[in-house]
Amino acid sequence: MGDCLDLLLGVVLLTSPALGISSCFFDGWTALYLSCNLTQVPQVPNTTKSLLLSFNSIRTVTTASFPFLEQLQLLELGTQFTPLTIYREAFRNLPNLRILDLGGSRIDFLHPDAFQGLPHLAELRLFFCGLSDAVLKDGYFRNLASLTHLDLSKNQIQSLYLHPSFRELNSLKSIDLSLNKIPIVCEHELKPLQGKTLSFLSLADNHLYSKVSVDWRKCLNPFRNMVLETLDVSGNGWGVDVTRNFSNAINGSQIFSLVLTHHIMGPSFGFSNLKDPDQHTFAGLARSSMIQLDISHGYIFSLNFQVFETLQELKVLNLAYNKINSISRNAFYGLDNLQVLNISHNLLGELYNYDFDGLHKVAYIDLQKNHIGIIQDRTFKFLRKLNTLDLRDNALKTIYFLPSIPNIFLGGNKLVTLPDIPLTANFIQLSENRLENLNDLYFLLQVPHLQILILNQNRFSFCHQNHAPSENPSLEKLFLEENMLQLAWEAGSCWDVFKGLSHLQLLYLNKNYLNFLPPGVFHHLTALRGLSLKDNRLTVLYPGDLPANLEILDISGNQLLSPDPDLFASLSAMDITHNKFICECELSAFIHWLNQTNITIYGSPADMYCMYPNSLAGVSLHSISTEGCEEEEVLDSLKFSLFVLVTVTLTLFLVVILMVTKFRGFCFIYYKKAQSLLFKDPIKGRESDMYKYDAYLCFSSKDFEWVQNALLKHLDVQYSSQNRFNLCFEERDFMPGENHIANIQDAVWSSRKIVCLVSRHFLRDGWCLEAFSYAQSRCLADLSGALIMVVVGSLSQFHLMKHRSIRGFVQKRQYLRWPEDLQDVDWFLNKLSQCILKKEKKRKKDSTIQLQSVTTIS
Ligand SMILES: *[C@@H]1O[C@H](CO)[C@@H](O)[C@H](O)[C@H]1NC(C)=O
Ligand SMILES: *[C@@H]1O[C@H](CO)[C@@H](O)[C@H](O)[C@H]1NC(C)=O
Ligand SMILES: *[C@@H]1O[C@H](CO)[C@@H](O)[C@H](O)[C@H]1NC(C)=O
Ligand SMILES: *[C@@H]1O[C@H](CO)[C@@H](O)[C@H](O)[C@H]1NC(C)=O
Ligand SMILES: *[C@@H]1O[C@H](CO)[C@@H](O)[C@H](O)[C@H]1NC(C)=O
Ligand SMILES: *[C@@H]1O[C@H](CO)[C@@H](O)[C@H](O)[C@H]1NC(C)=O
Ligand SMILES: *[C@@H]1O[C@H](CO)[C@@H](O)[C@H](O)[C@H]1NC(C)=O
């Protein structure tokens, strides 16, 4: 518990001086006096358990410095800004002290009896205190019967001559002597430690044995009769000769884990004067019962024949961060018990069948971050215990085999396709490759026993399918983030890709450019609990789009305009931030639901904001009032009279039509004349409304010539003063430099009507289709008939139905066709004009009235 508390406070300790915040207070058990300009120990109550005095200017500590604090367990006196003098029995009044931290304080004078009277002291931190050899030689640590951890790193110690009293320190487990200046350690110096078992001894970064020539016949074995669980001799500049001599010298001492990182063994790439380790380098460790050997961070270029031959008990071998480029035959000979082999971050370019020969028990091979471009097909075949193979971040373009092992990591390669071979696995990671054909996904979804499949950041975008979907009873998690499923789905293909995944629990489809969900695509996912559709381009969710038993939905970062809260009935949590809510009355049901629902809504309320209308842009949905949006009862009674009226009109209209078809051209001209006599000037009579434009004319730029001649010249005021409409179209009215989508949105929302001229070109133009979708979403949002669709040219029903958004429109609403007969053009233009002029019958009193921001909410 003390350690834990200490850890917690360590964070405070690290952060507070950096922030320049001084905190000088006492809260019952902890006295926190960091950076408090103290020159002496403050008076604290006798209940104090932790006393933190780092970053002050305390100069001396004597017995009288501390009151009697029986409860004190942790004292931090590190990093004093002035040199520290510690007198005899300075901490005697703290009899129960467990942890004493003086790290980072320059200790000018330390009395040999300074630490006397601390029978319970378990951890003594004396790192970076400017201490010399004397601290070890002169018995400073006598009688510290509970001392377990001694940290003497970063001092000026040059000799490891230990005082005989070390022999009595029966609790001692770990000694850190790294970053001192100890050139040599011999048997007689460490004699007091003989017979002990230490869990950790660090002699790292001392230039040990590398700066002086060592006569090992005199020096003998420094660790004689010791058991070291971990010995760290990293960063001492050991080449092959020093390592060999050292291994031979410590013959027989038990060292379970040898850490020898940051060495200089090996010639690296392009040098040859330095040697790679060979059969003799580690031979002396044969009787050390070594289980782990870490020789990462060096320059080994080639793994020689039988280099680890004597390490028969070794279970973990770490060769990461060397320059290994070749593996000799039988390099791993003798490693009969090896379980984990780490060759990550090396320079391997290819793997051969014989590379891992002899590793009968290897379970985990880590080959990340090499340059492996090719692998012989039987390389892993005979490794019967292999469980995990990590080949991430290599250069594989093709692969002709996949081993049937439980866990395969192949992310960060350049795979375009997968071999079509029988395979079983539990976990497959293939992120950041170049897979593009969904056929590979169908293949992977059939892998028996597969539970987790990760395919983020590939290029799945089309579907040339050989595999049919089939029942997969094991798959639980499927990651498909950052692919291009939209492209496959919008072509109408692979809508059944999730069929058969009846046990899938989690599905990630983030960033797939989705602007629609194929009907029923999630229908079979009856076990799905979590679905992420984050960062797509969905504008609407339809009933039935979401899987029936979904609990958690992330649909943030889409373009939902006015979601229907009924869709979220099964959820227990969701994230719907950063959508494009339209704050008009249609949203009130959602706003209301949001306010009272008891499902967990992730994300900050400020991230759920209105996008339109402009006056409310950016306002949080939580500060929007829905007052005045209630349905009017009168509406129902109106409906019937409306029905009667429409029926009568329609009958009359049909009769007239029969008469007119024959002489329609003449009739129309006479009609126009009569009209102009009756109503002198129709333009004046028109009331202005809140829209900037009468209509936004949306067409493919390839049709511009035609549109100009056929429509603009007869309708737009800027073309002729006889015309009456203020039209908006891209070529003239879009703000140059502005985001195209923003321009489209703006045009859609600032025009009374949107006229889409659907031609062959239109159907091939992504922007046009996008604009159509926006217009349609506006119709959904304000339930109006703002969208007028005019079909131009000989497009069949089939052509129109191919596009989802247009299909939706065609099924529900009428559209116009550009007349084929020239005599009908005038009539058509007039009809179009009427459509543009037509105001919606107000269904609801407020349907176009904006919601209001409630400003009182702070
Ligand atoms: C410590 O002294 C400095 C300057 O002498 C002063 O700015 C700072 O406020 C003092 N801190 C405390 C906690 O008294
Ligand atoms: C702490 O000091 C008070 C008097 O100041 C004394 O009554 C009490 O017994 C002391 N508690 C301990 C734990 O020493
Ligand atoms: C290693 O030991 C051999 C034989 O004792 C000696 O000749 C050689 O100088 C030693 N090498 C190093 C680097 O200590
Ligand atoms: C290690 O010691 C054993 C016996 O103590 C001896 O047989 C063996 O040759 C020694 N090995 C080396 C490399 O010195
Ligand atoms: C291999 O070493 C690298 C680098 O130190 C490390 O990131 C990775 O986790 C190690 N692999 C295993 C299996 O321990
Ligand atoms: C949210 O609910 C509270 C009561 O639960 C109500 O006072 C408040 O007006 C509601 N806000 C909105 C925007 O509906
Ligand atoms: C809130 O949760 C309870 C059960 O936890 C449920 O019975 C109730 O229907 C929920 N209310 C709403 C509005 O979802």
Side-chain angles (χ1 to χ4, degrees), residues 284-417:
L285 302 175
R287 296 168 58 246
S288 294
S289 312
M290 196 169 290
I291 290 168
Q292 297 198 32
L293 174 61
D294 184 349
I295 44 175
S296 60
H297 296 273
Y299 303 92
I300 301 173
F301 183 72
S302 133
L303 285 181
N304 282 327
F305 173 72
Q306 301 190 355
V307 57
F308 305 109
E309 158 188 52
T310 53
L311 305 179
Q312 304 218 331
E313 288 168 59
L314 203 64
K315 288 191 175 148
V316 182
L317 175 59
N318 191 351
L319 292 162
Y321 289 102
N322 276 280
K323 310 282 177 194
I324 299 171
N325 174 265
S326 74
I327 301 177
S328 308
R329 257 176 211 277
N330 286 325
F332 299 115
Y333 175 85
L335 294 176
D336 295 333
N337 289 298
L338 196 72
Q339 291 172 6
V340 181
L341 174 61
N342 195 342
I343 321 187
S344 63
H345 299 88
N346 275 285
L347 299 177
L348 290 172
E350 57 280 311
L351 297 178
Y352 296 97
N353 285 343
Y354 59 76
D355 275 350
F356 304 106
D357 277 359
L359 298 176
H360 309 297
K361 290 199 182 154
V362 76
Y364 196 137
I365 302 186
D366 190 343
L367 289 161
Q368 317 175 50
K369 300 251 182 199
N370 278 275
H371 302 283
I372 300 166
I374 188 154
I375 303 178
Q376 239 182 333
D377 58 355
R378 276 176 293 131
T379 305
F380 303 105
K381 190 157 184 163
F382 302 105
L383 307 178
R384 306 253 174 249
K385 293 278 169 65
L386 192 60
N387 177 292
T388 304
L389 177 61
D390 193 341
L391 280 164
R392 273 178 291 181
D393 299 312
N394 278 288
L396 294 166
K397 280 195 181 130
T398 44
I399 192 164
Y400 301 105
F401 75 100
L402 279 171
S404 277
I405 57 171
N407 305 300
I408 310 175
F409 292 85
L410 273 167
N413 280 284
K414 298 174 179 169
L415 297 172
V416 178
T417 125

Side-chain angles (χ1 to χ4, degrees), residues 189-242:
E189 294 172 292
L190 295 185
K191 236 183 190 124
L193 297 182
Q194 287 187 10
K196 288 192 192 298
T197 297
L198 294 185
S199 60
F200 179 74
L201 174 61
S202 176
L203 291 165
D205 301 299
N206 272 290
H207 296 300
L208 186 70
Y209 303 130
S210 59
K211 280 283 162 71
V212 294
S213 83
V214 187
D215 183 351
W216 284 103
R217 279 166 308 178
K218 281 197 192 140
C219 188
L220 301 175
N221 176 3
F223 310 120
R224 185 174 304 281
N225 285 331
M226 285 181 216
V227 176
L228 300 178
E229 279 164 24
T230 298
L231 172 65
D232 188 348
V233 287
S234 305
N236 280 311
W238 288 12
V240 170
D241 292 336
V242 178

Side-chain angles (χ1 to χ4, degrees), residues 442-459:
Y442 283 90
F443 161 69
L444 289 166
L445 292 178
Q446 291 175 14
V447 170
H449 308 303
L450 190 61
Q451 287 166 2
I452 301 177
L453 176 57
I454 306 181
L455 287 163
N456 298 339
Q457 297 184 49
N458 275 279
R459 298 176 182 177

Side-chain angles (χ1 to χ4, degrees), residues 606-625:
D607 293 334
M608 281 174 273
Y609 44 79
C610 306
M611 199 61 147
Y612 307 103
N614 288 344
S615 57
L616 290 178
V619 176
S620 163
L621 295 192
H622 289 268
S623 45
I624 293 280
S625 156

Side-chain angles (χ1 to χ4, degrees), residues 588 591-596 621-626 854 857:
S588 57
I591 292 178
H592 196 67
W593 174 81
L594 205 57
N595 188 30
Q596 52 84 54
L621 295 192
H622 289 268
S623 45
I624 293 280
S625 156
T626 58
V854 179
I857 293 178

